[in-house]
Amino acid sequence: MDEEKSISLLAQPQGEFPALNLSPSLSAPSTFYRIYKDSKLRCVFLIVLLSATYFNLPSKVFPSQRREGCCVPAACVQVDPLRPVANGDIASRLKSLYDTGDFSSRAAEWLGGAVRIPTEVYDDNGPVGEDPRWNIFAEFHDYLRGAFPRIHEELILTKVNTYGLLYTWKGSDSSLQPILLMNHQGEARFWKFFEPRTYSQWQEPPFSGALKDGWVWGRGSCDDKNGLIGNMASVETLLEANFKPKRTVVLAFGFDEESSGNEGAGQLSIYLKEHGLKEFAFIVDEGETYYNEYGQIFAPVATSEKGYLDVEVKVEAPGGHSSVPPTHTTIGLLSQLISHLESHPHPPRLTRSSAVFELYQCYAAHGPDLPETLRRTIAEAAESDDALKRMESMLIGDDTPTGRTITAILRTTQAVDLISGGVKINALPEEAYAVINHRVSTDSSIGELKDAITALFTQFTADRKLRLTAFGKNIHQSSSGFTPIANVTISEAFGSALEPAPVTPTTGAAWRLLSGTIRSAFQDAEGDEKEVIVTSVTPGGNTDTKSYWDLSRNIYRYSHIGVHHLKNGAHTINEAMKLEGFVNSIRFYTTLILNADEADSL
């Protein structure tokens, strides 16, 4: 290739890179030729170009460098939107159906009818069969039977522990692993009689199920009757379209997720294993919502969950009349212990294996509005430990709601939520206690947390002449050299210990099918020109999936609705679900079932 021709190509668009546009006078091939011929100009030009590359000025010189190039990690590769092929005709017909106003009205009535039955769950519910507060779930079951007749005609329904629901849609090919879709029937208690002020703040009555201004109002509309009814609606419409699955589909609906999950999902899991359903291709439960961040829509899928531990700290000392008090009562000593605990939060840790690292790799690869300094640091952090520490500092140093959330995900959190002490104003309290709720980081464990708590209080209690017993071990013996003024006992509360969940891989056939389905369902609702980026995340809370860890290595916690489809969130006043978003979730579940049915590699 001759010299003049090669220079002229520099001024032409190459692939995704547009022509250089440093200034109007540098757009013609002749100008580049003069630069090339003049050695001084050539040196200046190379210095400018290299500097622009290092300081990420290519975002203006090469606009596409924001997604491809020197400072963007080669991560967060997206699969193509996945649509049914063998079941393409059914998918097309149902897509057209879901676009109609008649179907939206039907969907609104399905969800509204479910909301009108107050399946509230109480922390102090007694056993099923003894506590009459469970009886409302029988009414909810009657509603489901009337609302979804085809399901109750053609699927096998098994009730476990009276109110747990297990629907089995038998596939024609028993060699294919089944899939499990799960949600829960119960909802967080509404404190109508204890908080009348909040009742008056509802724009619509909390159990009205009313459709107003495009929203379905009421408790449970966002957590989690939208998910349960979305599952049922997708199966009902597939049945009406005469779809016959090859792969077995199981729907599992617990009823006490808002308290413990032991009576619902816990018993359903045992039943499944006892009856031969021991391994599922994948499990999808309620979970994350998609949102706009850094100029791009992201759909995070929770691929793990933090662990859980409630810890009681109890102080005991002799009582007496309050007119002759000690320097510190048990309440005073307890307050010192709490202050010491809160002054020593668990350090956040960012590792390359964490979901947060993967999430920010996706932000860097696909978020055009991500600050360039952070983007460059994320790219370098893939290989450099120093850059990884800088990235950690940048994330946890961000004092915004997003920054505080990320910091909480990266550490084991601790929150003093319960406290009690004293029975009479003129009597020294003989006992005072507090309960601290911990959400255990995915790279930690219950044992590591207990050791950290014990170490935190060992010297602190010795300095104050307090005898310490931590998790059944006597830490300060009589040989410790002091006469104790009080006893401190640290123990597990409520039998709540739960290790962090196993991490579901973001590779393999199941992940590709799920992420491809998310992307196609999003486009079916928003248009083919729109794109959603699928990534993983670790949430702060726990779901019923804790009972299903040994039933699949592919457990996903994801609700296909946008954060903007939630009026005011869940567990609060004015809970409402955007009807448009609810219909979109039905699209997603329908496409997921159809895609899974024709997948050979699951």
Side-chain angles (χ1 to χ4, degrees), residues 4 42 56 71 97 112 115 147 180 207 268 330 348 371 410 412 428 435 452 458 475 549 555 587 598 602:
E4 185 171 349
R42 188 164 66 247
N56 216 31
C71 302
L97 173 67
V115 169
L180 175 62
F207 296 107
L268 285 165
T330 56
L410 289 175
T412 292
L428 298 175
V435 180
T458 296
I475 306 302
W549 289 352
I555 300 179
R587 297 178 195 271
E598 54 188 66
L602 286 178

Side-chain angles (χ1 to χ4, degrees), residues 108 112 115-116 204-205 207-212 215-218 576-577:
V115 169
R116 285 189 278 274
E204 298 293 328
F207 296 107
S208 67
L211 175 64
K212 185 176 180 181
W215 298 87
V216 178
W217 291 80
M577 167 62 61

Side-chain angles (χ1 to χ4, degrees), residues 52 91 203 248 306 357 451:
Q203 297 177 37
T248 294
K306 300 179 80 171
F357 185 78
D451 289 346

Side-chain angles (χ1 to χ4, degrees), residues 339-418:
S339 178
H340 184 62
L341 175 81
E342 292 191 334
S343 297
H344 295 82
H346 300 275
R349 292 183 294 196
L350 177 65
T351 64
R352 294 185 183 92
S353 61
S354 72
V356 169
F357 185 78
E358 184 171 337
L359 174 66
Y360 272 82
Q361 289 273 309
C362 285
Y363 286 165
H366 299 283
D369 297 338
L370 184 76
E372 297 301 338
T373 302
L374 178 56
R375 190 193 310 278
R376 189 163 53 248
T377 302
I378 292 169
E380 295 170 357
E383 308 240 339
S384 166
D385 291 342
D386 288 341
L388 184 65
K389 291 303 294 183
R390 291 201 310 273
M391 178 181 169
E392 178 185 281
S393 297
M394 294 169 80
L395 296 184
I396 67 176
D398 180 13
D399 190 22
T400 64
T402 298
R404 290 190 289 272
T405 298
I406 292 298
T407 302
I409 292 173
L410 289 175
R411 66 158 43 119
T412 292
T413 60
Q414 55 191 28
V416 183
D417 291 333
L418 297 176

Side-chain angles (χ1 to χ4, degrees), residues 253-276:
F253 304 137
F255 55 90
D256 64 334
E257 190 269 354
E258 296 294 354
S259 55
S260 68
N262 296 330
E263 298 298 310
Q267 295 300 312
L268 285 165
S269 173
I270 292 171
Y271 179 90
L272 286 169
K273 286 178 280 192
E274 289 178 346
H275 289 78

Side-chain angles (χ1 to χ4, degrees), residues 74-142:
C76 198
V77 177
Q78 297 293 296
V79 303
D80 291 333
L82 182 63
R83 292 181 172 85
V85 177
N87 299 311
D89 179 63
I90 290 176
S92 178
R93 283 189 281 123
L94 290 181
K95 179 181 182 300
S96 298
L97 173 67
Y98 297 155
D99 288 337
T100 66
D102 286 345
F103 184 81
S104 290
S105 297
R106 189 183 187 195
E109 184 49 42
W110 272 333
L111 181 56
V115 169
R116 285 189 278 274
I117 302 171
T119 51
E120 296 175 287
V121 176
Y122 300 75
D123 288 343
D124 61 346
N125 270 103
V128 173
E130 297 180 15
D131 192 329
R133 290 177 294 182
W134 293 119
N135 296 348
I136 190 67
F137 286 91
E139 183 179 338
F140 185 65
H141 295 178
D142 290 340

